[in-house]
């Protein structure tokens, strides 16, 4: 993705033609009157007839009613019955056409768009014509249901648009005619999408309409308008209802435009949005992290005001609302866990069954004790105050006013303490109390910890003091002492719930209500007609909508100013768009206000200042479950490791107020080195919130890099100034990102280096070969010393001087070795070129070793001499060595003299009885390397190092440890065994020629590849030995890099310490290995990886170190995120504008457009990691 040009098209030519065809179909509800090719006229005529069919059927009932032949309900029933019959006939025609095996021929054309839908029609009523006009339903149940529903829509629509009825509403024949004509057009559009052909809606929520919900969208809204009219017919003398009916009749004729613009949501989005709105503003709850939790919480919460309405005692009502409000504000998962734990303890009858485990047991009980204490205090306080005031002569309003003043003081203190925790006050002025010297990390975090102590005071005031004060305010209210009413039940149920669910917002609302009551007259409408619960409800709605309006206005201004001020965002239409927005500013403000009232996203078309009202949708913005999809790659594991550490740091910051006001739908952006973390608040309750953490790709595209650089600039200007001025302004105020705080998180730092001058140095390569033998010796001895005695593979030596005879592999009774599935050697192969090329040529194998899937048959090889079973020989008469030489098949031809010593299996006779504990497994001793070559290269074996390593072992715990180790070190048989195996592995890595390896060969062997030779199969058939050899090779290469960077190794002790550090603290391997990912999740302290950058032609290394790092956290404009996601949904799901170079995905330094698109849920976005809902305990 390159840099953006002003000429980047919004839609390419193909998509423009496609959109011009699709949009008229959407407006009309499904008729395809613009096909893009020449079709017979009867195609258009048939569609027009089907479109007007409901009007004709409804016209029959309307005419009979106007002629006083039928009553209004009878006329509606007649039209509905005719429509049911017609819909059934239409669906049967579709079923019949599908059963006909007619091949639809495609016409040859160069236009790709035409190739998709160009057909050859043979007749007006032919099968291919019917299938084109009436695609039909996927399910039989929908065929029946939609047909019946079509009849109801037609019948009720006829009743709704009867001319006499409309005339009674408006008293104007002209208005009646207009509403009748355009109203029936609306009905025809709804019927066509339901029965004939469903149009693609601009308001698309689901990526796939599995259950055919889309056809129900338009009839659903028709039913809503008709239901209001029916209520007005049967419930008379309600002026408000009559006015609403008049307004809705006018809006009814505008429904096609609202459907076409995508303002009205589809049924599923409407359901979840409506439930969220009612739960939050009507019942005092919060948006939930999953749809199931949302529906369950809504049902339970809705029962609270119903039950409270029927409680006869006012004290009982107060206690019930207080208790249920507290319990419902807790984390539902926590409550269900406590319930399950109680049931389990009751069944088992034991109190020793802990819920979360030993580590979190004390924390769980501490939190449980806090909840019980707070609930008990709240119930006691509410009951006593309510009962005391009802009996005493003390003025209720006076006592409530005193509590109101206390709440005002608490609000001021809590607000001030919250603003001191973040870098900016109101996002504009730099906080003078925030630490300034962030460059010194330890000093900065020490000062920040002192600031967090102030945050602890805020937490106490907000979590313990404020809720109890608000409960007192509500318990003293006079509205609770009167007769029960619906408004009191709903209003106070919400009020007592909000006290706990969202304490900070509830505190603000209570203070506003108290202040208005103090300054206003008791005779005003606000105080006379509304009780305190309803006042709090209205103030809550106003508060939410006011915040939304301000953030939407900021978003709109940012889009407009960015188009004008950012040169890279300029287009040919820039001036025109800016002038139009200035001229029609009142209209733009009206659009913003309408989207605010509906709590729907403000949709900037193609992210340009062309604003539309997006359809209302849930806070999550996406239909799928949170955290179920992500574009997983090798970097995903870093985010997996990061999440537990990050949530622990967020817990402290959120509790202190460093991230500002926590509301469902808030978005935060975290930045650390090259990683970007997207955090969304899903749910908010008493002392907890649920978040979703997404990890974005690590700067793979230029657009991503450009926006990431701007994010770095925003954070650097806030946190990394050398001498910040007191109360200086935020330099990036126009950006959608506002810095909040810095979190200390234990993460992996990622350093990448170029190894030019190290890996290609002849001196280093020479030392590498010598070091490799030493490391091989160390790795093999360490492995054998740590091996359990039970894994000696049948090797038994009872006394000193007893001979151990080693069987050839063909006659060994051990099971077949497993293939190396988890090694990179199974995934790499050699190219046809030399194995010593400077550049590695690693290719994926097309065939892997399958030895573990093939049974060991031990059949003789044709043309070879059968091996004699050693069990047939008597004890002490072992076969000679030459009988156990390996038959070498498939290897390059060698001279006769070389073939004589092609394989050698030594007979071992240990001089020390303890040597058997360090002996190498039998199957490792036989190899295809010529014995003469091993003897020739045996002088390279470092005997002094070998003895030093043995003397350092800790595997012997006897009192004569030093004597035993000395005897083992002097055991010549054991030494010869190690010489034979080590040199065979050494030759297997570098070949028979003892030349200096090339950098390309080092990288290939590091990746798990071996040169083609007889030892290839020998090592590959021994997975354990192969892994040890590869491990030694990787350790040696890391040692070479360290020696070049830190200096040479002085002595054997330093070398031993270095290798022990590799073994203990390092994982040296490949990023693509599963062990690498497991080690990261286990938080291994350090990682090393070798690679080759083909684009630059250089060898590189990658080092990861686990350490406490600074993670910058900033808050994003939530409406900017929702608006861009709404545009993304419209572009991809409706306009199908999936061009990777499209305008709306290009880098935008102010809107962070590319990052926002990435953070969307798949398949529209592409985060590489997305967590399940994570609960964070704010206590």
């Amino acid at each position: 993705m390159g840099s953006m040009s002003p000429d980047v098209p919004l839609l390419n030519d193909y998509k423009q033609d496609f959109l011009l065809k699709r949009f008229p179909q959407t407006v009309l509800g499904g008729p395809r009157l613009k096909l893009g090719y020449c079709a017979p006229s009867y195609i258009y005529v048939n569609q027009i007839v089907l479109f007007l069919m409901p009007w004709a059927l409804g016209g029959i009932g309307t005419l009979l009613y106007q002629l006083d032949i039928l009553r209004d309900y009878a006329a509606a029933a007649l039209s509905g019955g005719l429509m049911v019959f017609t819909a059934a006939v239409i669906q049967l025609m579709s079923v019949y056409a599908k059963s006909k095996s007619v091949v639809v021929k495609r016409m040859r054309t160069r236009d790709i768009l035409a190739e998709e839908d160009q057909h050859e029609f043979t007749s007006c009523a032919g099968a291919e014509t019917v299938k084109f006009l009436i695609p039909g339903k996927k399910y039989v149940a929908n065929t029946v249901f939609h047909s019946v529903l079509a009849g109801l829509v037609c019948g009720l629509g006829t009743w709704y648009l009867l001319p006499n009825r409309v005339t009674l509403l408006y008293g104007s024949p002209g208005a009646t005619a207009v509403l009748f004509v355009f109203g029936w057009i609306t009905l025809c559009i709804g019927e066509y999408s339901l029965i004939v052909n469903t149009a693609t809606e601009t308001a698309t929520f689901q990526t796939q309409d599995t259950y055919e919900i889309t056809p129900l969208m338009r009839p659903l809204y028709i039913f809503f308008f008709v239901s209001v009219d029916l209520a007005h017919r049967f419930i008379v003398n309600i002026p408000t209802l009559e006015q609403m009916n008049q307004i809705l009749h006018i809006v009814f004729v505008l429904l096609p435009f609202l459907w076409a613009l995508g303002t009205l949501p589809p049924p599923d989005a409407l359901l979840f949005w409506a439930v969220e709105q009612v739960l939050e503003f009507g019942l005092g709850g919060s948006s939930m992290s999953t749809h199931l939790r949302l529906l369950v919480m809504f049902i339970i919460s809705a029962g609270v005001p119903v039950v409270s309405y029927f409680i006869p005692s006012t004290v009982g009502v107060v206690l019930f609302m207080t208790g249920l409000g507290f319990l419902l504000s807790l984390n539902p998962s926590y409550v269900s866990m406590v319930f399950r734990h109680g049931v389990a303890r009751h069944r088992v009858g034991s109190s020793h069954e802990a819920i979360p485990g030993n580590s979190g047991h004390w924390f769980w009980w501490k939190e449980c004790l806090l909840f019980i204490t707070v609930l008990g205090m709240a119930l006691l306080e509410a009951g006593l105050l309510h009962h005391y005031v009802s009996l005493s002569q003390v003025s209720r309003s006076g006592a409530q006013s005193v509590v109101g003043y206390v709440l005002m003081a608490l609000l001021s203190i809590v607000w001030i303490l919250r603003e001191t925790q973040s870098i900016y006050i109101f996002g504009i002025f730099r906080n003078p109390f925030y630490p300034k010297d962030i460059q010194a990390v330890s000093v900065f975090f020490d000062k920040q910890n002192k600031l967090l102590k102030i945050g602890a005071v805020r937490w106490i005031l907000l979590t313990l003091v404020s809720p109890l004060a608000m409960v007192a305010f509500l318990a003293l209210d006079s509205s609770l002492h009167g007769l029960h009413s619906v408004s009191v039940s709903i209003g106070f149920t919400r009020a007592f719930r909000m006290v706990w669910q969202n304490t900070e917002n509830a505190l603000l609302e209570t203070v506003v209500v108290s202040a208005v009551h103090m300054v206003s007259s008791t005779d005003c409408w606000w105080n006379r007609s509304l009780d305190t619960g309803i006042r709090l409800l209205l103030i809550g709605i106003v508060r939410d909508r006011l915040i939304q309006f301000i953030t939407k206005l900021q978003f709109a201004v940012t889009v407009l100013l960015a188009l004008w001020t950012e040169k890279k965002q300029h287009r040919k239409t820039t001036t025109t768009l800016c002038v139009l927005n200035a001229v029609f500013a009142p209209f733009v403000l009206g659009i913003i206000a309408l989207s605010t009232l509906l709590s729907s996203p403000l949709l900037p078309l193609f992210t340009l200042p062309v604003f539309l009202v997006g359809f209302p949708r849930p806070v999550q913005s996406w239909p799928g479950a949170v955290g179920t999809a992500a574009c997983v790659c090798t970097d995903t594991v870093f985010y997996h490791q990061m999440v537990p550490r990050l949530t622990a740091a967020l817990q402290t910051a959120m509790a202190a107020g460093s991230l500002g006001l926590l509301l469902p739908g808030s978005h935060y952006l975290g930045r650390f080195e090259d990683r970007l973390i997207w955090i969304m608040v899903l749910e908010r309750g008493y002392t907890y919130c649920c978040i979703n953490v997404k990890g974005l790709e690590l700067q793979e595209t230029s657009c991503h890099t450009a926006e990431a650089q701007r994010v770095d600039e925003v954070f650097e200007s806030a946190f990394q100034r050398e001498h910040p001025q007191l109360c200086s302004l935020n330099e990036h105020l126009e950006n959608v990102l506002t810095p909040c705080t810095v979190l200390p998180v234990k993460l992996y730092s990622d350093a990448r280096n170029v190894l030019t001058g190290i890996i290609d140095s002849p001196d280093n390569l020479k030392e590498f070969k010598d070091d490799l033998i030493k490391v091989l010796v160390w790795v093999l001895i360490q492995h054998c010393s740590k091996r359990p005695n039970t894994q000696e593979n049948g090797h038994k030596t009872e006394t000193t001087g007893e001979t151990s005879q080693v069987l050839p592999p063909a006659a060994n009774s051990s099971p077949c070795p497993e293939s190396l599935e988890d090694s990179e050697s199974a995934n790499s192969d050699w190219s046809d070129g030399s194995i010593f090329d400077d550049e590695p040529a690693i290719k994926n194998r097309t065939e892997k070793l399958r030895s573990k899937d093939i049974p060991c048959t031990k059949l003789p090889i044709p043309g070879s001499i059968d091996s004699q079973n050693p069990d047939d020989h008597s004890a002490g008469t072992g076969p000679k060595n030459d009988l156990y030489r390996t038959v070498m098949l498939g290897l390059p031809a060698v001279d006769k003299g070389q073939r004589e010593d092609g394989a050698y299996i030594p007979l071992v006779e240990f001089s020390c009885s303890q040597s058997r504990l360090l002996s190498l497994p039998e199957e490792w001793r036989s190899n295809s390397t010529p014995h003469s070559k091993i003897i020739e290269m045996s002088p390279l074996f470092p005997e002094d190092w070998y003895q030093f390593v043995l003397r350092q072992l800790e595997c012997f715990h006897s009192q004569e440890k030093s004597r035993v180790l000395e005897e083992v070190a002097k055991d010549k048989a054991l030494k010869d065994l190690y010489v034979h195996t080590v040199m065979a592995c050494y030759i297997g890595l570098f070949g028979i020629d003892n030349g200096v390896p090339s950098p390309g060969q080092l990288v290939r062997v590091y990746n798990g590849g071996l040169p083609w030779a007889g030892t290839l199969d020998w090592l590959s058939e021994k997975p354990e030995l192969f892994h040890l050899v590869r491990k030694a090779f990787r350790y040696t290469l890391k040692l070479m890099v360290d020696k070049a960077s830190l200096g040479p190794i002085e002595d054997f002790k330093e070398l031993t310490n270095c290798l022990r550090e590799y073994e203990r603290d390092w994982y040296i391997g490949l990023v693509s290995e599963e062990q690498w990912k497991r080690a990261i999740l286990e938080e291994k302290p350090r990682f090393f990886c070798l690679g080759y950058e083909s684009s630059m032609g250089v060898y590189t290394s990658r080092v990861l170190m686990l350490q406490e790092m600074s993670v910058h956290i900033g808050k994003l404009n939530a409406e900017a995120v929702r608006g861009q996601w709404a545009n993304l949904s419209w572009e991809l799901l409706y306009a199908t504008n999936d061009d990777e170079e499209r305008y709306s995905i290009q880098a935008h330094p102010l809107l962070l457009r590319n990052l926002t698109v990435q953070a969307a849920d798949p398949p529209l976005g592409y985060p590489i990691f997305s967590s399940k809902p994570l609960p964070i305990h704010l206590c």
Side-chain angles (χ1 to χ4, degrees), residues 640-745:
H640 275 288
Q641 180 273 330
M642 179 189 300
V643 163
R645 301 279 188 175
L646 179 66
T647 52
L650 285 173
Q651 176 180 350
T652 304
M654 288 179 172
S658 301
L659 302 186
L661 190 61
L662 295 176
L663 295 174
S666 300
H667 296 265
Y668 298 89
L669 187 68
R671 178 68 169 165
F672 161 66
E673 286 190 348
D674 59 349
R675 293 168 216 167
L676 284 160
I677 312 155
W678 194 283
I679 304 168
M680 180 181 180
V681 179
L682 303 172
E683 184 178 331
R684 180 74 166 90
Y686 184 64
T687 69
Y688 89 97
C689 70
C690 278
I691 64 171
N692 167 239
V693 178
K694 293 178 182 176
L696 306 188
E697 64 179 356
L698 306 186
Q699 300 189 21
E700 297 293 338
T701 63
S702 60
C703 291
H704 179 105
T705 305
E707 292 188 356
Q709 289 176 352
R710 178 55 65 92
V711 171
D712 292 335
E713 292 175 6
V714 172
F715 284 127
E716 287 173 4
S717 67
F719 297 109
Q720 298 182 7
R721 282 187 179 181
E722 295 184 0
H723 303 287
Q725 297 178 357
L726 188 65
C727 294
S728 57
L729 295 177
N730 181 4
E731 294 180 357
H732 298 274
L733 187 60
E734 73 282 359
N735 202 290
V736 296
L737 176 66
T738 302
C740 291
T741 189
V742 179
L743 302 180
V745 186

Side-chain angles (χ1 to χ4, degrees), residues 61 70-79:
L70 294 176
R71 302 287 298 271
D72 52 358
Y73 56 85
L78 175 63
S79 299

Side-chain angles (χ1 to χ4, degrees), residues 523-544:
D523 295 331
C524 69
W525 168 82
W526 177 262
N527 293 325
R528 185 183 67 255
S529 302
L530 302 177
D531 58 73
T532 302
I534 298 300
R535 292 179 213 155
L536 289 170
L537 189 150
L538 295 177
I539 292 296
I541 295 175
V542 172
R543 171 196 52 78
D544 178 79

Side-chain angles (χ1 to χ4, degrees), residues 1043-1106:
K1043 288 167 64 177
S1045 305
L1046 306 176
I1049 300 293
E1050 297 295 337
D1051 51 23
F1052 287 164
K1053 186 172 176 105
E1054 185 179 352
L1055 178 58
T1056 303
N1057 293 336
C1058 185
L1059 294 177
R1060 285 176 178 172
E1061 182 187 351
Y1062 292 164
E1063 186 78 15
R1064 182 183 65 251
D1065 297 336
W1066 287 81
Y1067 181 86
I1068 303 173
L1070 297 174
V1071 176
S1072 56
E1073 292 173 342
E1074 286 299 322
Q1075 295 92 330
W1076 176 285
K1077 299 176 183 177
R1078 277 200 300 268
I1080 288 179
L1081 296 178
E1082 294 169 0
E1083 295 192 341
K1084 196 86 169 176
R1086 297 176 180 87
F1087 289 77
F1088 176 85
C1089 177
L1090 180 69
Y1092 177 76
E1093 187 64 42
S1094 57
S1095 60
M1096 301 173 60
V1098 295
Y1099 298 95
T1100 59
S1101 68
R1102 184 179 184 184
V1103 178
L1104 305 177
M1105 297 187 67
L1106 185 64

Side-chain angles (χ1 to χ4, degrees), residues 960-1035:
E960 300 179 354
K961 172 184 173 183
S962 59
R963 183 186 62 80
V964 172
L965 288 175
E966 191 67 27
E967 291 179 0
V968 171
K970 293 180 179 179
D971 192 331
K972 187 175 183 304
L974 181 64
K975 187 198 78 169
D976 291 342
L977 191 60
Y978 272 93
V979 171
H980 178 84
T981 305
V982 169
M983 300 316 299
C985 296
Y986 178 80
I987 295 172
L989 291 174
F990 296 113
I992 297 178
D993 297 331
N994 189 21
V996 178
S998 67
Q1001 185 183 2
L1002 295 185
V1003 175
R1004 281 194 292 266
V1005 178
Y1006 182 94
N1007 291 336
L1010 292 175
W1012 190 91
T1015 51
L1016 174 62
D1017 291 336
W1018 174 69
L1019 272 178
S1020 299
E1021 291 171 358
K1022 298 169 179 58
E1024 189 177 20
L1025 178 60
F1026 179 86
H1027 290 159
L1028 292 174
V1029 171
R1030 186 179 62 177
K1031 174 183 175 181
F1033 187 92
R1034 291 174 173 178
Y1035 281 12

Side-chain angles (χ1 to χ4, degrees), residues 64-246:
L64 295 177
Y65 169 75
Q66 292 297 119
L67 296 175
D68 292 330
I69 299 176
L70 294 176
R71 302 287 298 271
D72 52 358
Y73 56 85
L78 175 63
S79 299
L82 293 174
M83 190 65 222
V84 170
F85 176 77
T86 305
V89 171
I90 291 174
Q91 294 303 312
L92 289 175
M93 290 174 60
S94 175
V95 173
Y96 174 76
K98 286 182 179 180
S99 65
K100 301 279 289 183
S101 57
V102 177
V103 178
V104 179
K105 298 181 179 180
R106 300 182 182 272
M107 300 174 62
R108 293 183 179 179
T109 176
R110 295 182 179 179
D111 188 0
I112 300 176
L113 182 64
E115 288 179 357
E116 293 182 353
D117 56 6
Q118 200 163 5
H119 308 283
E120 182 177 312
F121 304 102
T122 57
S123 64
C124 178
E128 69 281 356
T129 303
V130 174
K131 285 196 295 183
F132 175 78
L133 297 176
I134 313 169
K137 308 294 180 182
K138 290 189 293 185
Y139 306 106
V140 177
N142 282 339
T143 301
V144 178
F145 174 64
H146 291 180
S147 298
V148 174
L149 192 63
L152 289 174
V153 171
C154 185
L156 294 176
T158 303
W159 202 358
Y160 185 72
L161 294 175
L162 288 175
N164 289 350
R165 176 67 179 171
V166 177
T167 304
L168 289 176
L169 281 176
Y170 298 98
S172 171
T176 300
V178 172
L179 292 177
F180 181 81
V181 172
F182 287 100
W184 268 107
I185 292 177
T186 301
L187 283 174
C188 290
I189 290 173
E191 292 280 17
Y192 196 96
S193 64
L194 181 62
I195 290 301
V196 184
N197 184 23
T198 304
T200 303
E201 299 289 351
T202 50
T204 303
F205 190 55
Q206 300 280 354
T207 54
Q208 293 182 344
D209 187 18
T210 306
Y211 302 104
E212 296 180 314
I213 297 176
T214 304
L216 304 177
M217 173 182 168
R218 304 193 182 201
L220 177 68
Y221 289 102
I222 292 174
F223 276 127
F224 169 75
F225 283 80
V226 172
S227 63
V228 176
D229 183 70
L230 292 177
H232 180 222
R233 287 173 184 266
F234 298 106
I235 304 176
V236 294
N237 298 326
I238 301 181
T240 304
L241 191 61
E242 181 179 0
Q243 293 174 2
M244 182 183 297
N245 195 17
Q246 291 174 345

